[in-house]
Amino acid sequence: MSRRSNGLIGLWAEAQRQQQRQREAAHRERMQAQREQERQQRAYERESARLDREQRAAYRQAREAEARQRTEELEARVAELTGLLAAGCRERPFTVAALRRPEEIEPFQPGHLAHPVTMPDPAQYRFARQQFERDWHAAQAAEAQRLQQLGVYRQQYDQWAAGRLAEIRQYNAGVAETADALRERDPDAVRDYFSAALYASPVWPEEFPHQVTAAYDPGARQLVLTTELPGYEIVPEAKAVRYMPTADQDKETARPAAQRRAVYRDVLAQCMLLTVREVFAADEFGALESVALNGFVDDHDPVTGRRAQIVLAAVQVSRQVFDGLHLAQVSAVDCLVDGLGGQLSARPDQLAAVRPGRMPDEVGRAVVSHGGGDDPDLYEMDPIEFEALVAELFRARGMQAVMTTRSNDGGVDVEAMDPDPISGGRIIVQVKRYRKTVPPTAVRDLFGTVQGAGANKGVLVTTSGFGPGSYTFANGKPLTLVSGEELVALLARHGLRGRLGSGAGTTAATRRAAAAAAASAVPGPEPVAEPETAAGDHNVLGMSWAGRVALDVCALVCQGSRVLGDEHFVFFNNPATPDGSVRSVPATGGDKAALRVAFDALPAAADRLVLAAAIDPEVNPDADLSEFTQARIRLSDAAGAELGQLEVSDGRPGETALVLGSFRRRANGDWDFVVGGQGYPGGLSALVQDHGIEVA
């Protein structure tokens, strides 16, 4: 009995020992795992600390490098300013040859039309003779069509190339005439040539102003100039930049006021000397004996508080004295003041003015002068003189304007600056002395130039007019088109003179009428003569719709789906067709728009009159045609009696232009109305392109 009990107790004790060993082993494993985790945590923290130190060091190095770069940029900027005169002396002088345009025409590029149509290979049609014949005939037809299109395209190119070459040669002939005028020391030619030379000079930094006013005294052979100088802010206020790691920010070290003022005075003196150098260097024909130059800044006068041109430097120097200088080695301030006896403000930073020398308006000839008893003919005017007249027009309108006539001018003839703080800005002006309608390509080129130059606006001025394609492309873009009649009116309004040829357009009555038309400052096409029609040979199409959306209603005189020509597109900038058969008229009787149509007078080639409506982008730039509902066309006779009403489709969301319907000529000569409904998300431009008008 006792033995069995002792055996059970031993087994129990052994089991307890086993459990204890297991608990101890599990405890050891937990402790070991905990120690391993703590070890890994310490290793992670050490690695994180190391990486953090490296990141902080890299961040600090990057910030310090950035600060050093900014300091180097400040030093380079000051070095550029102090070396302006030396760098300018290394540039080539401006010459008359720089005005010439190379007689280079873009080569003919037929694109895909240059590649013949691939003919089918008989080997691939071994058991399909009929299919081969069909494919072969189709390929032959396609090749014939390609050759026809290639011939038409080539003919169009040849016509364009001939016109472009003639235009270049005409321009170069004008340059040759300018050279002759310079030899004869014609005051206007001398003045405009040297103005162009100063503006075309590559020596000036991009941010320097470019306003120049000039006059020429032929008796003294003296060019009298005023030129705009850069402001005090052109010299950096900071001298160096240092990174402060404790505050994690850059600290600028201010440039000492005396040093900054000295650099600014030196810059002004360099600008004056460099301007005189550019003028004398460009004088190929010995037109100049001396130059009188005043340099000003356009700023608020500290005496009156008003915006004014404050003269900070002035000098008058003869060619003989100036040719004796070695400009690249002189001290600009000493040379201007002591060597040439000029004046330079002692405190230009405080706009302390000096006494100006001779000014252009004292010469007795304006910057742009048109003398004589009759108004000058704009068609016959010298190209450079015409550009100068346009520049003067912008000045007369309160803007700063400079001619840019030179080779590789980038499509800019005049550059103007409108000082209005809200609607003003930089304006690119192109001048086209044409007798024919300006093509839409010229308007597209101007838009590209405006975008490339970062200007606020582009203005295209011509002696002729523009077609609907040009006005449609310009619609909604920062472009203004000024036709010949509008130009004459604007010149008259601002005391300048010009006429278009020797016809009736030069009479005083015509000028007054054109001035009244231009008073709204909204460019439009040349007026169309009112046709002499009988009282009962036309109808009036009055159009109305529900909704408050503003629409432009237009008409296209077509043959099939293609308009007869740009001039047969009647819209807000082309109020009538050339023959007057379709004309916009004031709406009456509750209508919102109206057209007058003489169906019997429409061109014989026309078999369709398409009516369309488009969102007015100036009134409702974000609207669509979802509000164009309950629309109808009211047909009336010449006396105003209603003949009937035509229902048209409602507009749809997302669309901004809609074909309302079309009148179609039947075989017997009658006209039937067919309801439209095709919408265009791309607006009026997309609609007219679909009918053959070139917009973009």
Side-chain angles (χ1 to χ4, degrees), residues 335-348:
C335 179
L336 179 68
V337 177
D338 299 331
L340 301 179
Q343 300 181 73
L344 181 64
S345 173
R347 297 300 300 268

PDB file of all heavy atoms in Angstrom, residues 335-348:
ATOM      1  N   CYS A 335      33.571 110.048 -67.617  1.00  0.00           N
ATOM      2  CA  CYS A 335      33.547 110.386 -69.044  1.00  0.00           C
ATOM      3  C   CYS A 335      32.359 111.275 -69.373  1.00  0.00           C
ATOM      4  O   CYS A 335      32.501 112.265 -70.099  1.00  0.00           O
ATOM      5  CB  CYS A 335      33.506 109.107 -69.863  1.00  0.00           C
ATOM      6  SG  CYS A 335      33.445 109.366 -71.647  1.00  0.00           S
ATOM      7  N   LEU A 336      31.174 110.911 -68.850  1.00  0.00           N
ATOM      8  CA  LEU A 336      29.974 111.688 -69.167  1.00  0.00           C
ATOM      9  C   LEU A 336      30.047 113.092 -68.603  1.00  0.00           C
ATOM     10  O   LEU A 336      29.746 114.072 -69.304  1.00  0.00           O
ATOM     11  CB  LEU A 336      28.743 110.959 -68.629  1.00  0.00           C
ATOM     12  CG  LEU A 336      27.401 111.656 -68.859  1.00  0.00           C
ATOM     13  CD1 LEU A 336      27.046 111.662 -70.342  1.00  0.00           C
ATOM     14  CD2 LEU A 336      26.290 110.980 -68.052  1.00  0.00           C
ATOM     15  N   VAL A 337      30.448 113.200 -67.335  1.00  0.00           N
ATOM     16  CA  VAL A 337      30.401 114.501 -66.653  1.00  0.00           C
ATOM     17  C   VAL A 337      31.615 115.358 -66.990  1.00  0.00           C
ATOM     18  O   VAL A 337      31.486 116.524 -67.382  1.00  0.00           O
ATOM     19  CB  VAL A 337      30.267 114.285 -65.135  1.00  0.00           C
ATOM     20  CG1 VAL A 337      30.289 115.631 -64.406  1.00  0.00           C
ATOM     21  CG2 VAL A 337      28.993 113.524 -64.813  1.00  0.00           C
ATOM     22  N   ASP A 338      32.820 114.788 -66.815  1.00  0.00           N
ATOM     23  CA  ASP A 338      34.039 115.580 -66.997  1.00  0.00           C
ATOM     24  C   ASP A 338      34.510 115.587 -68.447  1.00  0.00           C
ATOM     25  O   ASP A 338      34.885 116.635 -68.981  1.00  0.00           O
ATOM     26  CB  ASP A 338      35.161 115.030 -66.092  1.00  0.00           C
ATOM     27  CG  ASP A 338      34.796 115.112 -64.622  1.00  0.00           C
ATOM     28  OD1 ASP A 338      34.020 116.021 -64.259  1.00  0.00           O
ATOM     29  OD2 ASP A 338      35.257 114.254 -63.841  1.00  0.00           O
ATOM     30  N   GLY A 339      34.488 114.408 -69.085  1.00  0.00           N
ATOM     31  CA  GLY A 339      35.011 114.341 -70.439  1.00  0.00           C
ATOM     32  C   GLY A 339      34.113 114.998 -71.468  1.00  0.00           C
ATOM     33  O   GLY A 339      34.601 115.659 -72.397  1.00  0.00           O
ATOM     34  N   LEU A 340      32.791 114.838 -71.335  1.00  0.00           N
ATOM     35  CA  LEU A 340      31.861 115.371 -72.329  1.00  0.00           C
ATOM     36  C   LEU A 340      31.076 116.571 -71.819  1.00  0.00           C
ATOM     37  O   LEU A 340      30.276 117.136 -72.578  1.00  0.00           O
ATOM     38  CB  LEU A 340      30.888 114.269 -72.773  1.00  0.00           C
ATOM     39  CG  LEU A 340      31.536 113.027 -73.396  1.00  0.00           C
ATOM     40  CD1 LEU A 340      30.472 112.009 -73.770  1.00  0.00           C
ATOM     41  CD2 LEU A 340      32.363 113.407 -74.625  1.00  0.00           C
ATOM     42  N   GLY A 341      31.271 116.950 -70.560  1.00  0.00           N
ATOM     43  CA  GLY A 341      30.565 118.109 -70.026  1.00  0.00           C
ATOM     44  C   GLY A 341      29.080 117.882 -69.848  1.00  0.00           C
ATOM     45  O   GLY A 341      28.292 118.845 -69.856  1.00  0.00           O
ATOM     46  N   GLY A 342      28.684 116.631 -69.684  1.00  0.00           N
ATOM     47  CA  GLY A 342      27.270 116.334 -69.493  1.00  0.00           C
ATOM     48  C   GLY A 342      26.822 116.500 -68.056  1.00  0.00           C
ATOM     49  O   GLY A 342      27.611 116.850 -67.163  1.00  0.00           O
ATOM     50  N   GLN A 343      25.560 116.252 -67.823  1.00  0.00           N
ATOM     51  CA  GLN A 343      24.981 116.353 -66.481  1.00  0.00           C
ATOM     52  C   GLN A 343      24.494 114.974 -66.034  1.00  0.00           C
ATOM     53  O   GLN A 343      23.959 114.205 -66.836  1.00  0.00           O
ATOM     54  CB  GLN A 343      23.799 117.321 -66.467  1.00  0.00           C
ATOM     55  CG  GLN A 343      24.125 118.738 -66.890  1.00  0.00           C
ATOM     56  CD  GLN A 343      22.886 119.616 -66.817  1.00  0.00           C
ATOM     57  OE1 GLN A 343      22.424 119.981 -65.732  1.00  0.00           O
ATOM     58  NE2 GLN A 343      22.341 119.944 -67.973  1.00  0.00           N
ATOM     59  N   LEU A 344      24.668 114.689 -64.738  1.00  0.00           N
ATOM     60  CA  LEU A 344      24.213 113.436 -64.154  1.00  0.00           C
ATOM     61  C   LEU A 344      23.745 113.707 -62.738  1.00  0.00           C
ATOM     62  O   LEU A 344      24.461 114.347 -61.956  1.00  0.00           O
ATOM     63  CB  LEU A 344      25.338 112.395 -64.149  1.00  0.00           C
ATOM     64  CG  LEU A 344      24.990 111.023 -63.575  1.00  0.00           C
ATOM     65  CD1 LEU A 344      23.912 110.342 -64.420  1.00  0.00           C
ATOM     66  CD2 LEU A 344      26.231 110.142 -63.496  1.00  0.00           C
ATOM     67  N   SER A 345      22.548 113.262 -62.425  1.00  0.00           N
ATOM     68  CA  SER A 345      21.971 113.513 -61.107  1.00  0.00           C
ATOM     69  C   SER A 345      22.895 112.981 -60.011  1.00  0.00           C
ATOM     70  O   SER A 345      23.387 111.850 -60.084  1.00  0.00           O
ATOM     71  CB  SER A 345      20.605 112.836 -61.003  1.00  0.00           C
ATOM     72  OG  SER A 345      20.103 112.923 -59.678  1.00  0.00           O
ATOM     73  N   ALA A 346      23.119 113.807 -58.980  1.00  0.00           N
ATOM     74  CA  ALA A 346      23.925 113.373 -57.844  1.00  0.00           C
ATOM     75  C   ALA A 346      23.178 112.372 -56.976  1.00  0.00           C
ATOM     76  O   ALA A 346      23.789 111.524 -56.333  1.00  0.00           O
ATOM     77  CB  ALA A 346      24.355 114.586 -57.007  1.00  0.00           C
ATOM     78  N   ARG A 347      21.856 112.464 -56.923  1.00  0.00           N
ATOM     79  CA  ARG A 347      21.038 111.534 -56.147  1.00  0.00           C
ATOM     80  C   ARG A 347      19.918 110.984 -57.023  1.00  0.00           C
ATOM     81  O   ARG A 347      18.736 111.292 -56.832  1.00  0.00           O
ATOM     82  CB  ARG A 347      20.459 112.230 -54.908  1.00  0.00           C
ATOM     83  CG  ARG A 347      21.480 112.726 -53.900  1.00  0.00           C
ATOM     84  CD  ARG A 347      22.318 111.572 -53.369  1.00  0.00           C
ATOM     85  NE  ARG A 347      21.523 110.557 -52.710  1.00  0.00           N
ATOM     86  CZ  ARG A 347      21.271 110.539 -51.388  1.00  0.00           C
ATOM     87  NH1 ARG A 347      21.783 111.484 -50.613  1.00  0.00           N
ATOM     88  NH2 ARG A 347      20.533 109.587 -50.860  1.00  0.00           N
ATOM     89  N   PRO A 348      20.259 110.173 -58.014  1.00  0.00           N
ATOM     90  CA  PRO A 348      19.205 109.637 -58.873  1.00  0.00           C
ATOM     91  C   PRO A 348      18.249 108.725 -58.128  1.00  0.00           C
ATOM     92  O   PRO A 348      17.106 108.542 -58.548  1.00  0.00           O
ATOM     93  CB  PRO A 348      19.987 108.878 -59.951  1.00  0.00           C
ATOM     94  CG  PRO A 348      21.274 108.512 -59.296  1.00  0.00           C
ATOM     95  CD  PRO A 348      21.589 109.665 -58.381  1.00  0.00           C
TER      96      PRO A 348
END
